[in-house]
Amino acid sequence: MRIDEDACYRALETRDRRFDGRFFTGVRSTGIYCRPICPARTPRRERCVFFPSAAAAQEAGYRPCLRCRPEASPGTPAWLGTSALVSRALRLIAEGALDDADAPALAARLGVGERHLRRLFLRHVGASPLAVAQTRRLLFAKKLLDETALSITEVALSSGFSSVRRFNDAIRAAYERSPRELRKAVSKRGGGGAGGAPDIALRLPFRPPLDWGALAGFLGARAIPGVESAEPGAYRRTVRVAGGHGVVEVRPEAGEPYLLARLRLPGTEGLIHCAERLRRLFDLGADPDAIAAHLGADPRLAPRVLAMPGVRVPGAWDGFELAVRAILGQQVSVRAATQLAGRLVERHGEPLAVRGGLPEGAEGLRFVFPTPEALAAADLTDLGLPRARAATITALAARVASGEVALDASRGLEETVRALCEVPGVGAWTAHYIAMRALREPDAFPATDLGLRRALGGVSGADLAAMAEAWRPWRAYAAVLLWTADAQGARPVETEVSDGSLAG
């Protein structure tokens, strides 16, 4: 992608935090690349070369800086490039699409050729898909060396490397030091986690501001009893990872540009995927300044943008769980849907079994949400649901279990909505809601939603859809702003009022 190098250098000179993660600076004389906020002395202009991503700097032969730690960057916004296909590919890579597969397999999932995908990556990201995946693993491994007391073997497997030998080779190639030497340097600076702790603590950086209160309020109102809980100080939930059960807790840190996650897991393998799921859950890759500038230009949204700086779209730990929760929310209030979800996990969820017992504050967590296979085979008629809605959940579970419906980023928004609407009982509201929260589609927008229409004075669905054209490509963020405003003035409702798929 094209970069305004003069603007980048001015941001580098002032160490402007607003540009952190938007570009990286390679220093020709040292062979090191840095974040714009690096505390080191600013190099002369002629010694600097600028890259749109850490992967591009790595592929150009530059090493990560040990002072500003590129692995601690809030990340490059998903819309930094102009290609929706690249954004979807980046989400799949973040979910581990290249951990056990190759670039042709990734391209096939996206429905394009490998050469075309590589050309798009070089144009928009500055690096190939494989380089992006390798840099992701490498920087996460460095993060674990700095922030935890995991063994070298655990760090290697937790970061997605297939062997300790490959991990050691990658670290030496990138840092010109061994993993043990990097960890010793951190210990001398007073960093690193405490040994013997049952939990793993990780910092999840974001680009400020972040409205934690709005996030916790939204998630708390929709928390599935026994599976998750949210309060002003913390969000907790049960998870299924590494062949067992675990519990995660996320808290805001006052005045700090990161959330603190504590994970009690059955093992460390796949920890990189847990961290990415939490980033998606709290939408930590968002660029709040860009979103606010765009949505704030509309006089109908401007007061809400000012009142809610740092708005995020609450995501989901698991796409299937969110999809079932969305179906339960059709034509009923948020509270009623939450009660139905609690009844579902009470009868069909897996009893929680956590190695080392439940952490403090998680006493109310008792179940892990059922798998698609379990719900596809379950009798859901005793939950108090209309038979048609129970059949919809069964049908969705069967299609997800068989792979017919993919709740990931392999399809674009329109194709995803079309595939979901082919499930009997799923209409446009449900499909857009799932795409918005589970699949991280920033432009998804359930235009028939009663709460959205009410927040704008009771406009029709058609009028709302027409208004929302000006809010692209961040209509999902506009929806959150309007839902929050509506919840403050009336009972929050999310309802599929105009699909006609579940009438009565």
Side-chain angles (χ1 to χ4, degrees):
M1 63 170 292
R2 296 177 61 185
I3 285 183
D4 185 335
E5 296 195 350
D6 291 334
C8 288
Y9 190 73
R10 289 193 295 271
L12 179 65
E13 286 182 305
T14 58
R15 295 180 174 82
D16 192 332
R17 283 194 170 274
R18 292 174 298 176
F19 290 87
D20 190 16
R22 295 179 184 274
F23 69 90
F24 294 86
T25 305
V27 183
R28 292 188 175 96
S29 56
T30 64
I32 291 173
Y33 73 91
C34 303
R35 297 159 68 184
I37 62 170
C38 186
R41 182 179 178 181
T42 303
R44 293 202 298 268
R45 174 67 179 81
E46 62 270 17
R47 293 184 178 178
C48 297
V49 57
F50 301 100
F51 299 97
S53 66
Q58 292 274 162
E59 196 161 40
Y62 288 84
R63 304 190 310 277
C65 176
L66 294 177
R67 293 190 65 179
C68 65
R69 299 180 56 215
E71 70 274 9
S73 165
T76 303
W79 46 84
L80 186 59
T82 57
S83 169
L85 181 67
V86 170
S87 294
R88 286 161 47 208
L90 288 170
R91 293 203 298 272
L92 288 175
I93 291 172
E95 294 168 7
L98 289 180
D99 288 354
D100 300 312
D102 53 15
L106 173 63
R109 288 182 65 180
L110 293 163
V112 298
E114 180 193 0
R115 292 179 62 184
H116 178 58
L117 182 63
R118 180 181 175 85
R119 282 196 300 267
L120 287 175
F121 261 71
L122 293 176
R123 183 189 309 164
H124 296 287
V125 182
S128 68
L130 289 176
V132 170
Q134 175 71 359
T135 301
R136 167 179 163 271
R137 289 191 288 266
L138 183 74
L139 294 182
F140 188 76
K142 175 63 165 53
K143 180 181 180 69
L144 294 182
L145 289 172
D146 283 2
E147 298 180 14
T148 75
L150 295 176
S151 70
I152 300 301
T153 299
E154 288 174 322
V155 169
L157 297 179
S158 299
S159 305
F161 286 91
S162 58
S163 70
V164 177
R165 179 179 178 181
R166 289 193 175 185
F167 166 68
N168 286 330
D169 290 344
I171 290 289
R172 283 189 177 278
Y175 292 96
E176 297 185 344
R177 301 186 189 187
S178 70
R180 296 187 187 280
E181 288 171 330
L182 287 176
R183 175 158 277 173
K184 286 181 181 179
V186 173
S187 299
K188 290 179 181 178
R189 297 196 304 267
D199 300 338
I200 300 170
L202 288 178
R203 294 177 178 179
L204 305 175
F206 60 83
R207 186 171 284 100
L210 180 142
D211 192 337
W212 171 264
L215 267 173
F218 190 99
L219 293 171
R222 295 156 181 80
I224 300 175
V227 172
E228 55 184 340
S229 66
E231 55 194 48
Y235 171 85
R236 302 180 184 91
R237 68 159 295 123
T238 63
V239 297
R240 183 186 293 102
V241 292
H245 299 167
V247 172
V248 299
E249 176 190 273
V250 179
R251 291 179 175 271
E253 292 288 292
E256 299 292 346
Y258 60 81
L259 301 179
L260 183 63
R262 294 192 178 278
L263 305 94
R264 184 167 295 186
L265 306 175
T268 59
E269 188 172 351
L271 183 58
I272 187 172
H273 304 308
C274 292
E276 178 57 31
R277 286 190 180 207
L278 290 175
R279 286 187 59 80
R280 295 200 308 270
L281 175 58
F282 295 100
D283 195 16
L284 301 187
D287 186 345
D289 290 338
I291 295 167
H294 183 75
L295 298 182
D298 189 316
R300 290 162 296 200
L301 295 181
R304 296 175 173 89
V305 171
L306 290 175
M308 290 180 59
V311 64
R312 297 300 203 273
V313 175
W317 172 268
D318 178 76
F320 175 69
E321 175 187 310
L322 188 279
V324 172
R325 174 63 181 76
I327 293 170
L328 293 172
Q330 293 172 337
Q331 297 182 334
V332 298
S333 69
V334 171
R335 179 176 296 180
T338 299
Q339 292 172 345
L340 289 171
R343 203 175 301 159
L344 183 145
V345 300
E346 187 88 39
R347 299 179 185 179
H348 302 289
E350 297 176 19
L352 179 64
V354 179
R355 190 175 67 182
L358 287 174
E360 184 180 353
E363 293 77 13
L365 304 183
R366 299 181 294 133
F367 301 100
V368 175
F369 197 83
T371 64
E373 292 78 7
L375 285 189
D379 180 4
L380 305 180
T381 57
D382 61 347
L383 295 179
L385 287 171
R387 287 186 176 274
R389 200 167 308 165
T392 297
I393 294 176
T394 300
L396 175 69
R399 295 189 186 199
V400 171
S402 68
E404 186 178 348
V405 171
L407 295 175
D408 58 27
S410 59
R411 298 176 176 179
L413 176 58
E414 292 184 2
E415 188 177 355
T416 295
V417 169
R418 190 183 311 114
L420 286 169
C421 286
E422 290 176 356
V423 178
V426 172
W429 178 89
T430 307
H432 273 271
Y433 188 80
I434 293 170
M436 171 183 167
R437 293 194 56 200
L439 306 184
R440 309 305 310 148
E441 284 287 351
D443 203 36
F445 190 73
T448 61
D449 183 83
L450 179 59
L452 299 180
R453 291 162 49 193
R454 189 168 55 196
L456 288 170
V459 300
S460 68
D463 288 343
L464 177 58
M467 290 180 191
E469 285 300 306
W471 305 335
R472 290 181 182 273
W474 293 306
R475 294 186 302 175
Y477 293 88
V480 174
L481 287 169
L482 294 171
W483 270 330
T484 304
D486 182 60
Q488 292 171 349
R491 179 172 59 93
V493 175
E494 295 160 11
T495 179
E496 193 163 5
V497 295
S498 65
D499 283 336
S501 55
L502 293 171

